[in-house]
Amino acid sequence: MSGTDLSPQAKNQKTAMIVSAVVAGMIGLSFAAVPLYKAFCQVTGWGGTTQRAEAGAGQIVDRDVTVRFDATVGNGLSWRFKPEQVSQTLKIGETGLAFYEAENTTDHPVTGRATFNVSPAKAGLYFRKIECFCFTEQTLQPGEKVSMPVTYFVDPELAEDKQLDDVQTITLSYTFFKWDNGEENAADSDTAAE
């Protein structure tokens, strides 16, 4: 028997350690996947993810684009949510201001958070939001109705991208989901107990 030969028990222990390390690594990657994917989408505009901007474009291109507005509510959130306008037509680079209305239809405070995207997805890299209710969670009191603004523009670089010559309409979609926190869970368990 040479010095490099391992007993069956030692081989099993080595295999178990390797498998454990691989499983631990996979678990770690699964927790990192969502933030990494989100960061990737925000940098590249992948999947229609819009970009954030500190200020307006500063340049306006003589090309119209129509922005349509869409709103949905995810399961488990008892809100009414809708855009206050169907669409807006503006020049590329021009700053737009749109409003969405949300209403809490429950008898307790509810917190929600909006996810967003644009279609066609290839326009996501050029759709910039300066201010948006979607940047933070929103808490509505029982029966409260609010009008929430989004300030945006379409980056003038869109006009230089030949793959986007066919883009005349961009749809901005939001979906509000229930945002869980300690107060929410307590209110929900109180309601469920009744």
Side-chain angles (χ1 to χ4, degrees):
M1 187 175 217
S2 70
T4 59
D5 289 339
L6 297 175
S7 70
Q9 184 179 10
K11 286 181 183 179
N12 288 343
Q13 287 177 338
K14 184 177 178 180
T15 301
M17 289 179 64
I18 291 171
V19 169
S20 295
V22 168
V23 168
M26 291 174 71
I27 290 171
L29 285 174
S30 71
F31 282 105
V34 171
L36 290 174
Y37 179 75
K38 183 176 179 182
F40 172 77
C41 290
Q42 288 176 338
V43 168
T44 65
W46 181 265
T49 301
T50 62
Q51 307 295 307
R52 287 179 82 161
E54 295 297 319
Q59 173 191 2
I60 297 176
V61 176
D62 190 24
R63 176 177 160 191
D64 288 342
V65 65
T66 299
V67 178
R68 296 183 49 80
F69 303 96
D70 183 48
T72 57
V73 177
N75 290 338
L77 182 63
S78 297
W79 283 11
R80 287 190 191 100
F81 177 54
K82 65 179 184 175
E84 293 184 15
Q85 60 287 301
V86 174
S87 65
Q88 294 176 341
T89 299
L90 45 103
K91 301 286 185 196
I92 292 178
E94 183 180 357
T95 300
L97 175 63
F99 291 90
Y100 281 77
E101 181 180 278
E103 180 181 9
N104 177 359
T105 61
T106 71
D107 61 357
H108 57 275
V110 177
T111 301
R113 181 121 193 206
T115 61
F116 52 87
N117 69 355
V118 299
S119 62
K122 63 185 179 179
L125 182 61
Y126 301 101
F127 197 94
R128 309 261 191 238
K129 289 190 283 185
I130 300 168
E131 288 292 329
C132 183
F133 58 88
C134 62
F135 293 162
T136 60
E137 64 272 2
Q138 305 295 320
T139 300
L140 299 183
Q141 297 305 313
E144 182 180 12
K145 184 189 291 187
V146 295
S147 183
M148 301 177 296
V150 57
T151 307
Y152 68 94
F153 66 92
V154 178
D155 194 308
E157 290 183 16
L158 178 136
E160 298 170 17
D161 189 334
K162 295 299 178 196
Q163 294 180 343
L164 296 168
D165 283 349
D166 62 331
V167 174
Q168 297 176 355
T169 302
I170 297 173
T171 302
L172 176 61
S173 298
Y174 288 98
T175 301
F176 248 110
F177 291 96
K178 188 170 184 182
W179 186 257
D180 289 326
N181 61 35
E183 290 177 31
E184 278 304 296
N185 295 337
D188 289 344
S189 60
D190 290 344
T191 304
E194 291 176 358

mmCIF file with all atom_site columns, all heavy atoms in Angstrom, residues 9 32 39 47 51 56 70 76 84-85 95 102 105-106 112 117 124-126 135 143 148-149 154 165 179 182 186 191:
data_model
loop_
_atom_site.group_PDB
_atom_site.id
_atom_site.type_symbol
_atom_site.label_atom_id
_atom_site.label_alt_id
_atom_site.label_comp_id
_atom_site.label_asym_id
_atom_site.label_entity_id
_atom_site.label_seq_id
_atom_site.pdbx_PDB_ins_code
_atom_site.Cartn_x
_atom_site.Cartn_y
_atom_site.Cartn_z
_atom_site.occupancy
_atom_site.B_iso_or_equiv
_atom_site.pdbx_formal_charge
_atom_site.auth_seq_id
_atom_site.auth_comp_id
_atom_site.auth_asym_id
_atom_site.auth_atom_id
_atom_site.pdbx_PDB_model_num
ATOM 1   N N   . GLN A 1 9   ? -12.914 4.723  4.369   1.00 0.00 ? 9   GLN A N   1
ATOM 2   C CA  . GLN A 1 9   ? -13.494 5.692  5.309   1.00 0.00 ? 9   GLN A CA  1
ATOM 3   C C   . GLN A 1 9   ? -12.937 7.099  5.050   1.00 0.00 ? 9   GLN A C   1
ATOM 4   O O   . GLN A 1 9   ? -13.678 8.083  5.041   1.00 0.00 ? 9   GLN A O   1
ATOM 5   C CB  . GLN A 1 9   ? -13.209 5.268  6.755   1.00 0.00 ? 9   GLN A CB  1
ATOM 6   C CG  . GLN A 1 9   ? -13.859 6.186  7.772   1.00 0.00 ? 9   GLN A CG  1
ATOM 7   C CD  . GLN A 1 9   ? -13.606 5.750  9.202   1.00 0.00 ? 9   GLN A CD  1
ATOM 8   O OE1 . GLN A 1 9   ? -12.788 4.859  9.457   1.00 0.00 ? 9   GLN A OE1 1
ATOM 9   N NE2 . GLN A 1 9   ? -14.285 6.382  10.128  1.00 0.00 ? 9   GLN A NE2 1
ATOM 10  N N   . ALA A 1 32  ? -26.798 35.468 -3.113  1.00 0.00 ? 32  ALA A N   1
ATOM 11  C CA  . ALA A 1 32  ? -26.168 36.572 -3.837  1.00 0.00 ? 32  ALA A CA  1
ATOM 12  C C   . ALA A 1 32  ? -26.786 36.777 -5.212  1.00 0.00 ? 32  ALA A C   1
ATOM 13  O O   . ALA A 1 32  ? -26.634 37.839 -5.808  1.00 0.00 ? 32  ALA A O   1
ATOM 14  C CB  . ALA A 1 32  ? -24.668 36.312 -3.977  1.00 0.00 ? 32  ALA A CB  1
ATOM 15  N N   . ALA A 1 39  ? -28.408 44.248 -9.832  1.00 0.00 ? 39  ALA A N   1
ATOM 16  C CA  . ALA A 1 39  ? -27.350 45.194 -10.197 1.00 0.00 ? 39  ALA A CA  1
ATOM 17  C C   . ALA A 1 39  ? -27.020 45.097 -11.678 1.00 0.00 ? 39  ALA A C   1
ATOM 18  O O   . ALA A 1 39  ? -26.866 46.116 -12.357 1.00 0.00 ? 39  ALA A O   1
ATOM 19  C CB  . ALA A 1 39  ? -26.102 44.928 -9.355  1.00 0.00 ? 39  ALA A CB  1
ATOM 20  N N   . GLY A 1 47  ? -33.795 43.271 -19.613 1.00 0.00 ? 47  GLY A N   1
ATOM 21  C CA  . GLY A 1 47  ? -35.159 42.927 -19.221 1.00 0.00 ? 47  GLY A CA  1
ATOM 22  C C   . GLY A 1 47  ? -36.061 44.131 -19.024 1.00 0.00 ? 47  GLY A C   1
ATOM 23  O O   . GLY A 1 47  ? -37.069 44.041 -18.346 1.00 0.00 ? 47  GLY A O   1
ATOM 24  N N   . GLN A 1 51  ? -33.319 53.033 -15.780 1.00 0.00 ? 51  GLN A N   1
ATOM 25  C CA  . GLN A 1 51  ? -32.128 53.604 -15.162 1.00 0.00 ? 51  GLN A CA  1
ATOM 26  C C   . GLN A 1 51  ? -32.529 54.791 -14.288 1.00 0.00 ? 51  GLN A C   1
ATOM 27  O O   . GLN A 1 51  ? -33.549 55.429 -14.524 1.00 0.00 ? 51  GLN A O   1
ATOM 28  C CB  . GLN A 1 51  ? -31.167 54.073 -16.255 1.00 0.00 ? 51  GLN A CB  1
ATOM 29  C CG  . GLN A 1 51  ? -30.838 53.015 -17.287 1.00 0.00 ? 51  GLN A CG  1
ATOM 30  C CD  . GLN A 1 51  ? -30.091 51.844 -16.704 1.00 0.00 ? 51  GLN A CD  1
ATOM 31  O OE1 . GLN A 1 51  ? -29.071 52.008 -16.057 1.00 0.00 ? 51  GLN A OE1 1
ATOM 32  N NE2 . GLN A 1 51  ? -30.606 50.652 -16.894 1.00 0.00 ? 51  GLN A NE2 1
ATOM 33  N N   . GLY A 1 56  ? -32.399 65.997 -15.439 1.00 0.00 ? 56  GLY A N   1
ATOM 34  C CA  . GLY A 1 56  ? -32.875 65.811 -16.797 1.00 0.00 ? 56  GLY A CA  1
ATOM 35  C C   . GLY A 1 56  ? -31.740 65.641 -17.798 1.00 0.00 ? 56  GLY A C   1
ATOM 36  O O   . GLY A 1 56  ? -30.564 65.832 -17.477 1.00 0.00 ? 56  GLY A O   1
ATOM 37  N N   . ASP A 1 70  ? -48.876 51.625 -17.252 1.00 0.00 ? 70  ASP A N   1
ATOM 38  C CA  . ASP A 1 70  ? -49.580 50.402 -16.880 1.00 0.00 ? 70  ASP A CA  1
ATOM 39  C C   . ASP A 1 70  ? -49.390 50.166 -15.378 1.00 0.00 ? 70  ASP A C   1
ATOM 40  O O   . ASP A 1 70  ? -48.343 50.525 -14.817 1.00 0.00 ? 70  ASP A O   1
ATOM 41  C CB  . ASP A 1 70  ? -49.004 49.227 -17.683 1.00 0.00 ? 70  ASP A CB  1
ATOM 42  C CG  . ASP A 1 70  ? -49.726 47.928 -17.409 1.00 0.00 ? 70  ASP A CG  1
ATOM 43  O OD1 . ASP A 1 70  ? -50.962 47.919 -17.430 1.00 0.00 ? 70  ASP A OD1 1
ATOM 44  O OD2 . ASP A 1 70  ? -49.041 46.917 -17.152 1.00 0.00 ? 70  ASP A OD2 1
ATOM 45  N N   . GLY A 1 76  ? -52.023 39.364 -2.586  1.00 0.00 ? 76  GLY A N   1
ATOM 46  C CA  . GLY A 1 76  ? -51.788 39.628 -1.171  1.00 0.00 ? 76  GLY A CA  1
ATOM 47  C C   . GLY A 1 76  ? -51.778 41.101 -0.803  1.00 0.00 ? 76  GLY A C   1
ATOM 48  O O   . GLY A 1 76  ? -51.611 41.447 0.353   1.00 0.00 ? 76  GLY A O   1
ATOM 49  N N   . GLU A 1 84  ? -52.816 57.659 -13.609 1.00 0.00 ? 84  GLU A N   1
ATOM 50  C CA  . GLU A 1 84  ? -53.779 58.750 -13.732 1.00 0.00 ? 84  GLU A CA  1
ATOM 51  C C   . GLU A 1 84  ? -53.886 59.255 -15.168 1.00 0.00 ? 84  GLU A C   1
ATOM 52  O O   . GLU A 1 84  ? -54.771 60.048 -15.469 1.00 0.00 ? 84  GLU A O   1
ATOM 53  C CB  . GLU A 1 84  ? -53.415 59.883 -12.781 1.00 0.00 ? 84  GLU A CB  1
ATOM 54  C CG  . GLU A 1 84  ? -53.578 59.488 -11.321 1.00 0.00 ? 84  GLU A CG  1
ATOM 55  C CD  . GLU A 1 84  ? -53.322 60.619 -10.350 1.00 0.00 ? 84  GLU A CD  1
ATOM 56  O OE1 . GLU A 1 84  ? -53.285 61.802 -10.774 1.00 0.00 ? 84  GLU A OE1 1
ATOM 57  O OE2 . GLU A 1 84  ? -53.149 60.335 -9.160  1.00 0.00 ? 84  GLU A OE2 1
ATOM 58  N N   . GLN A 1 85  ? -53.000 58.823 -16.035 1.00 0.00 ? 85  GLN A N   1
ATOM 59  C CA  . GLN A 1 85  ? -53.053 59.157 -17.447 1.00 0.00 ? 85  GLN A CA  1
ATOM 60  C C   . GLN A 1 85  ? -52.735 57.878 -18.227 1.00 0.00 ? 85  GLN A C   1
ATOM 61  O O   . GLN A 1 85  ? -52.038 57.016 -17.738 1.00 0.00 ? 85  GLN A O   1
ATOM 62  C CB  . GLN A 1 85  ? -52.072 60.268 -17.826 1.00 0.00 ? 85  GLN A CB  1
ATOM 63  C CG  . GLN A 1 85  ? -50.606 59.939 -17.551 1.00 0.00 ? 85  GLN A CG  1
ATOM 64  C CD  . GLN A 1 85  ? -50.242 59.968 -16.077 1.00 0.00 ? 85  GLN A CD  1
ATOM 65  O OE1 . GLN A 1 85  ? -50.396 60.988 -15.437 1.00 0.00 ? 85  GLN A OE1 1
ATOM 66  N NE2 . GLN A 1 85  ? -49.793 58.858 -15.532 1.00 0.00 ? 85  GLN A NE2 1
ATOM 67  N N   . THR A 1 95  ? -38.230 66.134 -20.209 1.00 0.00 ? 95  THR A N   1
ATOM 68  C CA  . THR A 1 95  ? -38.631 65.557 -18.922 1.00 0.00 ? 95  THR A CA  1
ATOM 69  C C   . THR A 1 95  ? -40.147 65.469 -18.837 1.00 0.00 ? 95  THR A C   1
ATOM 70  O O   . THR A 1 95  ? -40.845 66.439 -19.108 1.00 0.00 ? 95  THR A O   1
ATOM 71  C CB  . THR A 1 95  ? -38.077 66.401 -17.754 1.00 0.00 ? 95  THR A CB  1
ATOM 72  O OG1 . THR A 1 95  ? -36.650 66.419 -17.841 1.00 0.00 ? 95  THR A OG1 1
ATOM 73  C CG2 . THR A 1 95  ? -38.483 65.807 -16.407 1.00 0.00 ? 95  THR A CG2 1
ATOM 74  N N   . ALA A 1 102 ? -52.839 55.254 -5.852  1.00 0.00 ? 102 ALA A N   1
ATOM 75  C CA  . ALA A 1 102 ? -52.923 54.039 -5.046  1.00 0.00 ? 102 ALA A CA  1
ATOM 76  C C   . ALA A 1 102 ? -53.897 54.283 -3.899  1.00 0.00 ? 102 ALA A C   1
ATOM 77  O O   . ALA A 1 102 ? -53.955 55.382 -3.337  1.00 0.00 ? 102 ALA A O   1
ATOM 78  C CB  . ALA A 1 102 ? -51.555 53.660 -4.493  1.00 0.00 ? 102 ALA A CB  1
ATOM 79  N N   . THR A 1 105 ? -57.422 49.592 0.518   1.00 0.00 ? 105 THR A N   1
ATOM 80  C CA  . THR A 1 105 ? -58.831 49.238 0.716   1.00 0.00 ? 105 THR A CA  1
ATOM 81  C C   . THR A 1 105 ? -59.070 48.445 2.000   1.00 0.00 ? 105 THR A C   1
ATOM 82  O O   . THR A 1 105 ? -60.157 47.925 2.208   1.00 0.00 ? 105 THR A O   1
ATOM 83  C CB  . THR A 1 105 ? -59.350 48.422 -0.484  1.00 0.00 ? 105 THR A CB  1
ATOM 84  O OG1 . THR A 1 105 ? -58.592 47.209 -0.584  1.00 0.00 ? 105 THR A OG1 1
ATOM 85  C CG2 . THR A 1 105 ? -59.239 49.222 -1.777  1.00 0.00 ? 105 THR A CG2 1
ATOM 86  N N   . THR A 1 106 ? -58.053 48.380 2.880   1.00 0.00 ? 106 THR A N   1
ATOM 87  C CA  . THR A 1 106 ? -58.201 47.623 4.123   1.00 0.00 ? 106 THR A CA  1
ATOM 88  C C   . THR A 1 106 ? -58.512 48.564 5.288   1.00 0.00 ? 106 THR A C   1
ATOM 89  O O   . THR A 1 106 ? -58.526 49.791 5.132   1.00 0.00 ? 106 THR A O   1
ATOM 90  C CB  . THR A 1 106 ? -56.911 46.834 4.456   1.00 0.00 ? 106 THR A CB  1
ATOM 91  O OG1 . THR A 1 106 ? -55.886 47.763 4.844   1.00 0.00 ? 106 THR A OG1 1
ATOM 92  C CG2 . THR A 1 106 ? -56.453 45.996 3.276   1.00 0.00 ? 106 THR A CG2 1
ATOM 93  N N   . GLY A 1 112 ? -46.493 48.796 0.738   1.00 0.00 ? 112 GLY A N   1
ATOM 94  C CA  . GLY A 1 112 ? -46.246 48.148 -0.543  1.00 0.00 ? 112 GLY A CA  1
ATOM 95  C C   . GLY A 1 112 ? -44.987 48.700 -1.177  1.00 0.00 ? 112 GLY A C   1
ATOM 96  O O   . GLY A 1 112 ? -44.501 49.768 -0.804  1.00 0.00 ? 112 GLY A O   1
ATOM 97  N N   . ASN A 1 117 ? -40.721 47.934 -14.966 1.00 0.00 ? 117 ASN A N   1
ATOM 98  C CA  . ASN A 1 117 ? -39.953 47.653 -16.174 1.00 0.00 ? 117 ASN A CA  1
ATOM 99  C C   . ASN A 1 117 ? -40.568 48.428 -17.322 1.00 0.00 ? 117 ASN A C   1
ATOM 100 O O   . ASN A 1 117 ? -41.607 49.043 -17.172 1.00 0.00 ? 117 ASN A O   1
ATOM 101 C CB  . ASN A 1 117 ? -39.864 46.155 -16.473 1.00 0.00 ? 117 ASN A CB  1
ATOM 102 C CG  . ASN A 1 117 ? -41.178 45.560 -16.897 1.00 0.00 ? 117 ASN A CG  1
ATOM 103 O OD1 . ASN A 1 117 ? -42.210 46.213 -16.895 1.00 0.00 ? 117 ASN A OD1 1
ATOM 104 N ND2 . ASN A 1 117 ? -41.163 44.305 -17.258 1.00 0.00 ? 117 ASN A ND2 1
ATOM 105 N N   . GLY A 1 124 ? -35.143 49.807 -22.223 1.00 0.00 ? 124 GLY A N   1
ATOM 106 C CA  . GLY A 1 124 ? -34.895 49.972 -20.790 1.00 0.00 ? 124 GLY A CA  1
ATOM 107 C C   . GLY A 1 124 ? -33.609 50.709 -20.476 1.00 0.00 ? 124 GLY A C   1
ATOM 108 O O   . GLY A 1 124 ? -33.538 51.476 -19.511 1.00 0.00 ? 124 GLY A O   1
ATOM 109 N N   . LEU A 1 125 ? -32.573 50.497 -21.269 1.00 0.00 ? 125 LEU A N   1
ATOM 110 C CA  . LEU A 1 125 ? -31.290 51.151 -21.039 1.00 0.00 ? 125 LEU A CA  1
ATOM 111 C C   . LEU A 1 125 ? -31.395 52.659 -21.184 1.00 0.00 ? 125 LEU A C   1
ATOM 112 O O   . LEU A 1 125 ? -30.636 53.415 -20.594 1.00 0.00 ? 125 LEU A O   1
ATOM 113 C CB  . LEU A 1 125 ? -30.252 50.590 -22.025 1.00 0.00 ? 125 LEU A CB  1
ATOM 114 C CG  . LEU A 1 125 ? -28.832 51.115 -21.913 1.00 0.00 ? 125 LEU A CG  1
ATOM 115 C CD1 . LEU A 1 125 ? -28.256 50.790 -20.541 1.00 0.00 ? 125 LEU A CD1 1
ATOM 116 C CD2 . LEU A 1 125 ? -27.962 50.514 -22.996 1.00 0.00 ? 125 LEU A CD2 1
ATOM 117 N N   . TYR A 1 126 ? -32.377 53.146 -21.935 1.00 0.00 ? 126 TYR A N   1
ATOM 118 C CA  . TYR A 1 126 ? -32.496 54.570 -22.239 1.00 0.00 ? 126 TYR A CA  1
ATOM 119 C C   . TYR A 1 126 ? -33.615 55.277 -21.472 1.00 0.00 ? 126 TYR A C   1
ATOM 120 O O   . TYR A 1 126 ? -33.774 56.480 -21.599 1.00 0.00 ? 126 TYR A O   1
ATOM 121 C CB  . TYR A 1 126 ? -32.715 54.760 -23.745 1.00 0.00 ? 126 TYR A CB  1
ATOM 122 C CG  . TYR A 1 126 ? -31.584 54.181 -24.553 1.00 0.00 ? 126 TYR A CG  1
ATOM 123 C CD1 . TYR A 1 126 ? -31.714 52.947 -25.179 1.00 0.00 ? 126 TYR A CD1 1
ATOM 124 C CD2 . TYR A 1 126 ? -30.379 54.852 -24.670 1.00 0.00 ? 126 TYR A CD2 1
ATOM 125 C CE1 . TYR A 1 126 ? -30.670 52.406 -25.906 1.00 0.00 ? 126 TYR A CE1 1
ATOM 126 C CE2 . TYR A 1 126 ? -29.320 54.321 -25.402 1.00 0.00 ? 126 TYR A CE2 1
ATOM 127 C CZ  . TYR A 1 126 ? -29.469 53.098 -26.022 1.00 0.00 ? 126 TYR A CZ  1
ATOM 128 O OH  . TYR A 1 126 ? -28.433 52.564 -26.728 1.00 0.00 ? 126 TYR A OH  1
ATOM 129 N N   . PHE A 1 135 ? -38.814 54.043 -5.751  1.00 0.00 ? 135 PHE A N   1
ATOM 130 C CA  . PHE A 1 135 ? -37.490 54.008 -5.150  1.00 0.00 ? 135 PHE A CA  1
ATOM 131 C C   . PHE A 1 135 ? -37.537 53.566 -3.688  1.00 0.00 ? 135 PHE A C   1
ATOM 132 O O   . PHE A 1 135 ? -36.529 53.130 -3.137  1.00 0.00 ? 135 PHE A O   1
ATOM 133 C CB  . PHE A 1 135 ? -36.798 55.369 -5.252  1.00 0.00 ? 135 PHE A CB  1
ATOM 134 C CG  . PHE A 1 135 ? -36.446 55.786 -6.660  1.00 0.00 ? 135 PHE A CG  1
ATOM 135 C CD1 . PHE A 1 135 ? -36.166 57.105 -6.942  1.00 0.00 ? 135 PHE A CD1 1
ATOM 136 C CD2 . PHE A 1 135 ? -36.398 54.877 -7.709  1.00 0.00 ? 135 PHE A CD2 1
ATOM 137 C CE1 . PHE A 1 135 ? -35.830 57.518 -8.226  1.00 0.00 ? 135 PHE A CE1 1
ATOM 138 C CE2 . PHE A 1 135 ? -36.073 55.270 -9.003  1.00 0.00 ? 135 PHE A CE2 1
ATOM 139 C CZ  . PHE A 1 135 ? -35.781 56.592 -9.258  1.00 0.00 ? 135 PHE A CZ  1
ATOM 140 N N   . GLY A 1 143 ? -57.917 53.059 4.141   1.00 0.00 ? 143 GLY A N   1
ATOM 141 C CA  . GLY A 1 143 ? -58.739 53.864 3.256   1.00 0.00 ? 143 GLY A CA  1
ATOM 142 C C   . GLY A 1 143 ? -58.017 55.013 2.572   1.00 0.00 ? 143 GLY A C   1
ATOM 143 O O   . GLY A 1 143 ? -58.626 55.760 1.803   1.00 0.00 ? 143 GLY A O   1
ATOM 144 N N   . MET A 1 148 ? -49.141 59.519 -6.677  1.00 0.00 ? 148 MET A N   1
ATOM 145 C CA  . MET A 1 148 ? -47.694 59.374 -6.579  1.00 0.00 ? 148 MET A CA  1
ATOM 146 C C   . MET A 1 148 ? -47.036 59.725 -7.910  1.00 0.00 ? 148 MET A C   1
ATOM 147 O O   . MET A 1 148 ? -47.393 59.175 -8.950  1.00 0.00 ? 148 MET A O   1
ATOM 148 C CB  . MET A 1 148 ? -47.344 57.936 -6.189  1.00 0.00 ? 148 MET A CB  1
ATOM 149 C CG  . MET A 1 148 ? -47.950 57.510 -4.870  1.00 0.00 ? 148 MET A CG  1
ATOM 150 S SD  . MET A 1 148 ? -47.607 55.784 -4.456  1.00 0.00 ? 148 MET A SD  1
ATOM 151 C CE  . MET A 1 148 ? -48.451 54.939 -5.781  1.00 0.00 ? 148 MET A CE  1
ATOM 152 N N   . PRO A 1 149 ? -46.033 60.641 -7.885  1.00 0.00 ? 149 PRO A N   1
ATOM 153 C CA  . PRO A 1 149 ? -45.410 61.084 -9.123  1.00 0.00 ? 149 PRO A CA  1
ATOM 154 C C   . PRO A 1 149 ? -44.226 60.220 -9.552  1.00 0.00 ? 149 PRO A C   1
ATOM 155 O O   . PRO A 1 149 ? -43.572 59.571 -8.728  1.00 0.00 ? 149 PRO A O   1
ATOM 156 C CB  . PRO A 1 149 ? -44.929 62.489 -8.772  1.00 0.00 ? 149 PRO A CB  1
ATOM 157 C CG  . PRO A 1 149 ? -44.604 62.403 -7.312  1.00 0.00 ? 149 PRO A CG  1
ATOM 158 C CD  . PRO A 1 149 ? -45.627 61.442 -6.730  1.00 0.00 ? 149 PRO A CD  1
ATOM 159 N N   . VAL A 1 154 ? -36.559 60.059 -21.661 1.00 0.00 ? 154 VAL A N   1
ATOM 160 C CA  . VAL A 1 154 ? -35.929 59.061 -22.526 1.00 0.00 ? 154 VAL A CA  1
ATOM 161 C C   . VAL A 1 154 ? -34.599 59.661 -22.964 1.00 0.00 ? 154 VAL A C   1
ATOM 162 O O   . VAL A 1 154 ? -34.561 60.759 -23.542 1.00 0.00 ? 154 VAL A O   1
ATOM 163 C CB  . VAL A 1 154 ? -36.819 58.718 -23.734 1.00 0.00 ? 154 VAL A CB  1
ATOM 164 C CG1 . VAL A 1 154 ? -36.113 57.726 -24.647 1.00 0.00 ? 154 VAL A CG1 1
ATOM 165 C CG2 . VAL A 1 154 ? -38.156 58.162 -23.264 1.00 0.00 ? 154 VAL A CG2 1
ATOM 166 N N   . ASP A 1 165 ? -34.514 52.423 -33.848 1.00 0.00 ? 165 ASP A N   1
ATOM 167 C CA  . ASP A 1 165 ? -35.193 53.316 -34.799 1.00 0.00 ? 165 ASP A CA  1
ATOM 168 C C   . ASP A 1 165 ? -36.694 53.042 -34.867 1.00 0.00 ? 165 ASP A C   1
ATOM 169 O O   . ASP A 1 165 ? -37.481 53.944 -35.148 1.00 0.00 ? 165 ASP A O   1
ATOM 170 C CB  . ASP A 1 165 ? -34.581 53.178 -36.203 1.00 0.00 ? 165 ASP A CB  1
ATOM 171 C CG  . ASP A 1 165 ? -33.247 53.917 -36.327 1.00 0.00 ? 165 ASP A CG  1
ATOM 172 O OD1 . ASP A 1 165 ? -32.908 54.699 -35.407 1.00 0.00 ? 165 ASP A OD1 1
ATOM 173 O OD2 . ASP A 1 165 ? -32.542 53.687 -37.332 1.00 0.00 ? 165 ASP A OD2 1
ATOM 174 N N   . TRP A 1 179 ? -45.146 44.705 1.012   1.00 0.00 ? 179 TRP A N   1
ATOM 175 C CA  . TRP A 1 179 ? -43.799 44.802 1.559   1.00 0.00 ? 179 TRP A CA  1
ATOM 176 C C   . TRP A 1 179 ? -43.877 44.359 3.011   1.00 0.00 ? 179 TRP A C   1
ATOM 177 O O   . TRP A 1 179 ? -44.468 45.038 3.851   1.00 0.00 ? 179 TRP A O   1
ATOM 178 C CB  . TRP A 1 179 ? -43.294 46.243 1.446   1.00 0.00 ? 179 TRP A CB  1
ATOM 179 C CG  . TRP A 1 179 ? -41.874 46.416 1.850   1.00 0.00 ? 179 TRP A CG  1
ATOM 180 C CD1 . TRP A 1 179 ? -41.418 46.927 3.020   1.00 0.00 ? 179 TRP A CD1 1
ATOM 181 C CD2 . TRP A 1 179 ? -40.724 46.105 1.075   1.00 0.00 ? 179 TRP A CD2 1
ATOM 182 N NE1 . TRP A 1 179 ? -40.059 46.951 3.024   1.00 0.00 ? 179 TRP A NE1 1
ATOM 183 C CE2 . TRP A 1 179 ? -39.603 46.448 1.844   1.00 0.00 ? 179 TRP A CE2 1
ATOM 184 C CE3 . TRP A 1 179 ? -40.527 45.561 -0.189  1.00 0.00 ? 179 TRP A CE3 1
ATOM 185 C CZ2 . TRP A 1 179 ? -38.304 46.273 1.377   1.00 0.00 ? 179 TRP A CZ2 1
ATOM 186 C CZ3 . TRP A 1 179 ? -39.242 45.388 -0.645  1.00 0.00 ? 179 TRP A CZ3 1
ATOM 187 C CH2 . TRP A 1 179 ? -38.152 45.741 0.128   1.00 0.00 ? 179 TRP A CH2 1
ATOM 188 N N   . GLY A 1 182 ? -42.363 44.004 10.330  1.00 0.00 ? 182 GLY A N   1
ATOM 189 C CA  . GLY A 1 182 ? -42.956 43.573 11.595  1.00 0.00 ? 182 GLY A CA  1
ATOM 190 C C   . GLY A 1 182 ? -44.376 44.071 11.802  1.00 0.00 ? 182 GLY A C   1
ATOM 191 O O   . GLY A 1 182 ? -45.251 43.333 12.221  1.00 0.00 ? 182 GLY A O   1
ATOM 192 N N   . ALA A 1 186 ? -47.902 41.809 12.006  1.00 0.00 ? 186 ALA A N   1
ATOM 193 C CA  . ALA A 1 186 ? -48.765 41.869 13.192  1.00 0.00 ? 186 ALA A CA  1
ATOM 194 C C   . ALA A 1 186 ? -50.189 42.229 12.775  1.00 0.00 ? 186 ALA A C   1
ATOM 195 O O   . ALA A 1 186 ? -51.148 41.649 13.268  1.00 0.00 ? 186 ALA A O   1
ATOM 196 C CB  . ALA A 1 186 ? -48.216 42.898 14.180  1.00 0.00 ? 186 ALA A CB  1
ATOM 197 N N   . THR A 1 191 ? -55.844 40.440 11.841  1.00 0.00 ? 191 THR A N   1
ATOM 198 C CA  . THR A 1 191 ? -56.983 40.298 10.943  1.00 0.00 ? 191 THR A CA  1
ATOM 199 C C   . THR A 1 191 ? -57.343 38.834 10.755  1.00 0.00 ? 191 THR A C   1
ATOM 200 O O   . THR A 1 191 ? -58.507 38.453 10.759  1.00 0.00 ? 191 THR A O   1
ATOM 201 C CB  . THR A 1 191 ? -56.668 40.927 9.565   1.00 0.00 ? 191 THR A CB  1
ATOM 202 O OG1 . THR A 1 191 ? -56.295 42.302 9.789   1.00 0.00 ? 191 THR A OG1 1
ATOM 203 C CG2 . THR A 1 191 ? -57.849 40.869 8.649   1.00 0.00 ? 191 THR A CG2 1
#
